Amino acid sequence: MTNQTLFQVKNVKKYYPIKGGVLRRTKAEVKAVNGVSLDIFQGETLGVVGESGCGKSTLGRTILGLEPLTEGQLIFEGNEIQDLPKGKLRQFKRNMQMIFQDPYASLNPRQRIGPAISEGLKIHTSMNAKERREKVESILVEVGLKSEHYDRYPHEFSGGQRQRIGIARALALQPSFIVCDEAVSALDVSVQAQVVNLLKKLQKEYDLTYLFISHDLGVVRHISDRVLVMYLGNMVELAPSEKLYTNPQHPYTRALLSAIPRTEPKANRERIRLKGEIPSPANPPSGCAFHTRCPMATDICREKKPEWRAIDHDHFAACHLID
C-alpha cells in the first residue's frame, strides 16, 4: 500500500424515493448512503463493515456507477467521473470492476464461462477471437481453474469455483480497482480462506486496490489494511485494521467486535448486546443515528449529529462521547 490516493469519495449520498398516491409523487426518501467522504489509497484493501442495511453494498455500487449518485463527487485517478458522458466514462470503467456476492446469480446460466469472461475484452479491446480465448484461458489458470473449463456452463462448477470465475471476469481487463461485495459470504469456511488468499495473491501480483465489503469481521481483519464501519448510511469509525480491532472507539464498533466468535474458550470478553431494531433509513433518528440503541447515549447524542473528526492521525470517528 502507498499513500497515493487512487479514489476520492466526497460527500456521497444515495437516496431512494418513496412514491405514493395516485400521481406517484415522492413522499419520503430512503437515505441508504448519507454523506460518505474518504480516500482510497493505491494498493490497499479498505474493508467496509456493518449490519445488514447499513449501506455498505449501496456505497460500493454507487462508487462504481451501478447506482446513480444523488449528491457528491467521485474522483478516480485525479478525474472527476460522476458527470462524465458515457463515451468518456467508458475508459475509466475498464479500470473499475466488481466481484458480486452470489457467484451463480451473477453468471448467465445459458452462457459458457469463457464467453462470459471475455465480454469485457470484446467491448474494451481490439483483440480478435483467438487472442481473447488465449487471454481468458490464461486468467482461468491464474485463479486456480483449468483452461479446458472455458467451454463449461456455470452449473457444472461448485460455489467456490464459480466465485473464482467471478474473480477471473473482474481481472480480465486488468483493472486497478475492484469492489468485492460480500465476495466470500456465500461460501463454506474452508473455501472462504482459499478465495481470500487468492485475492491477496492477485493483489500483490497486479497491484490491485480493493474495497472489501463484508459482514464477517474475522475475514475483514485478515484481508484489510484499513476498516470503515458504517451504520444507517453514515460513517462511524475508520482506522487501520489492527488499531480498530484492538482499540475501537465508537460504541457501535465495540458492539460489533464483541460478537466475533473466539477460538480461545477461556478468553475474557464481555458481549455487548444492542437492544432494539435498526431505525428505518427513511426516517432516521435525530442527532446521532445510533443513539436509539447506544447503551452510553446522553442528551447531546439525541439532539446533535456528531462531527467526523480525527482521534489520531489515522483514526477517525463520529461520536460525542470520545475524548
Side-chain angles (χ1 to χ4, degrees):
M1 184 183 74
T2 68
N3 288 326
Q4 181 179 348
T5 301
L6 176 72
F7 214 134
Q8 287 180 284
V9 178
K10 294 187 175 182
N11 194 34
V12 162
K13 297 180 181 179
K14 177 58 187 175
Y15 298 167
Y16 295 97
I18 301 173
K19 298 181 183 292
V22 177
L23 300 177
R24 302 295 294 165
R25 290 176 175 168
T26 299
K27 299 166 58 178
E29 292 178 314
V30 174
K31 298 179 179 179
V33 177
N34 195 18
V36 169
S37 297
L38 55 89
D39 290 347
I40 303 172
F41 301 124
Q42 175 68 47
E44 81 164 331
T45 298
L46 175 63
V48 184
V49 300
E51 293 169 291
S52 295
C54 73
K56 54 187 185 295
S57 290
T58 304
L59 174 64
R61 294 176 64 86
T62 304
I63 284 176
L64 289 187
L66 298 178
E67 299 281 356
L69 274 176
T70 301
E71 187 180 314
Q73 290 178 287
L74 298 172
I75 301 172
F76 181 68
E77 295 180 335
N79 299 278
E80 197 167 325
I81 63 172
Q82 76 275 358
D83 295 322
L84 286 178
K86 288 185 178 179
K88 290 188 176 180
L89 184 60
R90 188 172 171 178
Q91 62 180 301
F92 295 102
K93 284 286 188 181
R94 66 175 296 167
N95 288 323
M96 300 181 287
Q97 298 294 315
M98 190 167 194
I99 302 169
F100 295 93
Q101 177 177 357
D102 188 334
Y104 189 69
S106 63
L107 296 168
N108 183 345
R110 298 182 179 182
Q111 185 180 35
R112 299 177 194 272
I113 67 157
I117 295 170
S118 66
E119 278 185 351
L121 296 171
K122 194 172 183 179
I123 295 169
H124 290 280
T125 74
S126 58
M127 290 181 179
N128 59 38
K130 182 174 181 293
E131 290 170 334
R132 289 197 300 269
R133 180 167 186 128
E134 289 174 353
K135 174 75 172 177
V136 171
E137 287 179 349
S138 173
I139 294 171
L140 287 172
V141 173
E142 188 76 24
V143 300
L145 297 172
K146 298 178 180 179
S147 58
E148 54 262 34
H149 288 157
Y150 184 99
D151 292 311
R152 293 188 185 179
Y153 289 95
H155 72 269
E156 298 180 74
F157 296 90
S158 67
Q161 288 176 318
R162 285 197 289 263
Q163 197 58 286
R164 290 173 187 268
I165 294 167
I167 295 170
R169 185 171 56 181
L171 277 179
L173 289 170
Q174 296 181 311
S176 53
F177 178 67
I178 297 178
V179 173
C180 306
D181 185 14
E182 300 277 9
V184 298
S185 65
L187 307 176
D188 293 337
V189 174
S190 60
V191 180
Q192 281 185 6
Q194 295 172 16
V195 173
V196 167
N197 289 335
L198 172 63
L199 289 171
K200 293 178 75 173
K201 169 179 168 287
L202 294 171
Q203 183 175 39
K204 289 181 180 179
E205 291 180 4
Y206 294 100
D207 192 26
L208 296 171
T209 302
Y210 293 141
L211 184 73
F212 191 86
I213 299 164
S214 180
H215 64 270
D216 190 325
L217 294 160
V219 172
V220 169
R221 182 175 191 174
H222 179 67
I223 196 172
S224 300
D225 298 295
R226 292 188 300 155
V227 179
L228 168 67
V229 183
M230 291 185 66
Y231 182 80
L232 210 64
N234 297 283
M235 303 167 64
V236 298
E237 190 162 1
L238 172 66
S241 180
E242 281 307 305
K243 184 175 286 190
L244 185 99
Y245 279 78
T246 57
N247 187 30
Q249 294 295 305
H250 198 282
Y252 179 61
T253 308
R254 292 175 186 166
L256 286 181
L257 297 182
S258 75
I260 300 176
R262 302 293 175 92
T263 55
E264 307 87 356
K266 296 183 179 180
N268 292 323
R269 61 162 179 164
E270 181 182 351
R271 173 73 185 273
I272 302 172
R273 300 185 182 276
L274 299 177
K275 297 180 180 180
E277 298 294 325
I278 301 176
S280 168
N283 185 27
S286 61
C288 174
F290 183 57
H291 86 257
T292 58
R293 302 172 72 203
C294 180
M296 302 168 63
T298 62
D299 288 342
I300 192 172
C301 302
R302 301 178 184 92
E303 298 165 3
K304 183 179 178 183
K305 185 174 181 177
E307 293 182 2
W308 181 254
R309 59 190 178 89
I311 300 168
D312 200 352
H313 73 282
D314 56 0
H315 195 161
F316 304 84
C319 181
H320 294 298
L321 307 178
I322 300 173
D323 293 331

